[in-house]
Amino acid sequence: MREASRDRLKAFLTLLPSIILIGIFVYGFIGNTIWISMTDWGGDGALALNPELNFVGLDNYLDLFTGFLSSGFRQDLVNAVYYSVMLLAGAIGIGMFIAILLDQKPKGEDVLRTIFLYPMSLSFIVSGTIWRWLLAPQGGVNVLPTYLGLPPLTFDWTSSTKAVLEFNWQNLLQIFLYIVAFTLILVGLWALKKRPRRAIRFWLGPGVAIGAFAWLGGSMLPQALFMEETHGFNLATLGIIMATIWQYSGYTMALYLAGFHGISQDLRDAAMLDGASSTSYYRHVAIPMLKPITISAVIILSHISLKMFDIIFAMTGPDNAQTGHPALTMYMTTFRANDFAKGAAIAIVLFMVAAMFIVPYVVSQYRQRTRG
């Protein structure tokens, strides 16, 4: 008992400097940012030596989501959702596909692996500059069909003003309820095979009820704005999404390829002896075994999609409203407009969005360890 207590004390004293530093320089600064976001720090006196800060509560957050002059941030937030979804689907899908091809041990596997992984070594500024040239109106992508005798493309990859999948921000609460209902139903369907009663009681039932309420009683819900404000998927973001997927597909390829190589060859041989084809092996054996890698890739790529500052800055500049991002808006609001309180509020919104991806994973991992 005494030796165990001494070991715990030594471990605690060893970790104490790191705990203090993390507490001050991570969580302390997060707390300070939250405090600043609840003040009125900004305007003419923002750069004073001792600026006067007045507590305003959640006014900055309310202004971001319902303010008349904050429609740009709301479109940036919608852009961030599409950036995240497209990056996750594209990078994970393409990366997994390339990993499966390389897992067949083709000739020149090492060279191909290096080629696919090379974009990951480039900074966002470099890759953004390259793709800005490629996606220019007279750039390589639009001119490419001419080499096949076809007319050149005329699509504005980074400057289009067209949008699809538009919705009215006034119906934000109704849309939020639809998203919650869809998520609950999706989780319920996934858990239906293992625990049907629990899935129906805690996931499918509440999901259907919330969705029905949002559909039937949507007109009775309070509106976020007093006037119509449409947002959607701006086609000008396609070029940035393409560049980001190109840069991170190699990263997910490396993750999945390492996972495939870690699977025992005996397991693969056993599956083949049972009559499984290559497609069936990857679908029913290999890919399900790499679930931890998929979760890790989702978390990492989601975190990256919330920090897409430099590639957007390099490809379209800071003032292109069609391709904006909350991270870029946070920088411009804080250091160009000197509105430090609202910039801090945007930072906390991004922090909360990132926590939505990370916290459930951390909690699930903790539960698995405690059960084990």
Side-chain angles (χ1 to χ4, degrees), residues 87-99 249 252 256:
L87 175 59
L88 289 173
I92 291 178
I94 295 176
M96 182 186 296
F97 178 73
I98 297 174
S249 293
T252 55
Y256 281 112

Side-chain angles (χ1 to χ4, degrees), residues 117-140:
L117 194 58
Y118 176 73
M120 180 66 186
S121 65
L122 300 176
S123 68
F124 264 153
I125 293 294
V126 174
S127 59
T129 303
I130 294 172
W131 278 92
R132 183 176 183 175
W133 294 336
L134 290 174
L135 298 176
Q138 303 300 326

Side-chain angles (χ1 to χ4, degrees), residues 50-113:
N50 294 307
E52 181 180 353
L53 306 183
N54 299 311
F55 181 77
V56 296
L58 300 178
D59 287 356
N60 289 316
Y61 296 94
L62 292 175
D63 183 65
L64 288 175
F65 287 96
T66 62
F68 178 72
L69 298 178
S70 298
S71 61
F73 167 77
R74 293 190 282 272
Q75 180 58 55
D76 294 345
L77 199 61
V78 174
N79 287 347
V81 173
Y82 286 114
Y83 282 137
S84 300
V85 172
M86 297 293 183
L87 175 59
L88 289 173
I92 291 178
I94 295 176
M96 182 186 296
F97 178 73
I98 297 174
I100 291 174
L101 293 180
L102 294 180
D103 193 41
Q104 311 306 312
K105 303 295 188 298
K107 293 183 179 180
E109 177 188 354
D110 295 337
V111 176
L112 292 174
R113 189 192 311 134

Side-chain angles (χ1 to χ4, degrees), residues 11 16 54 74-75 91 112 175 179 198 206 214 254 260 263 281 289 295 328-329 339 362 372:
L16 184 60
N54 299 311
R74 293 190 282 272
Q75 180 58 55
L112 292 174
I175 295 171
I179 294 175
R198 184 181 178 85
F260 289 144
I263 298 176
Y281 164 73
M289 291 182 65
I295 295 175
L328 187 62
T329 304
D339 195 344
V362 174

Side-chain angles (χ1 to χ4, degrees), residues 171-188:
N171 303 325
L172 179 63
L173 184 56
Q174 184 181 19
I175 295 171
F176 175 75
L177 292 178
Y178 277 134
I179 294 175
V180 172
F182 176 77
T183 304
L184 291 175
I185 292 174
L186 199 64
V187 174

Side-chain angles (χ1 to χ4, degrees), residues 33 36-37 39 41-43 46-47 333-335 337-345:
T33 304
I36 292 174
S37 70
T39 65
W41 188 10
L47 299 179
T333 301
T334 304
F335 299 107
N338 293 331
D339 195 344
F340 298 103
K342 187 170 290 186

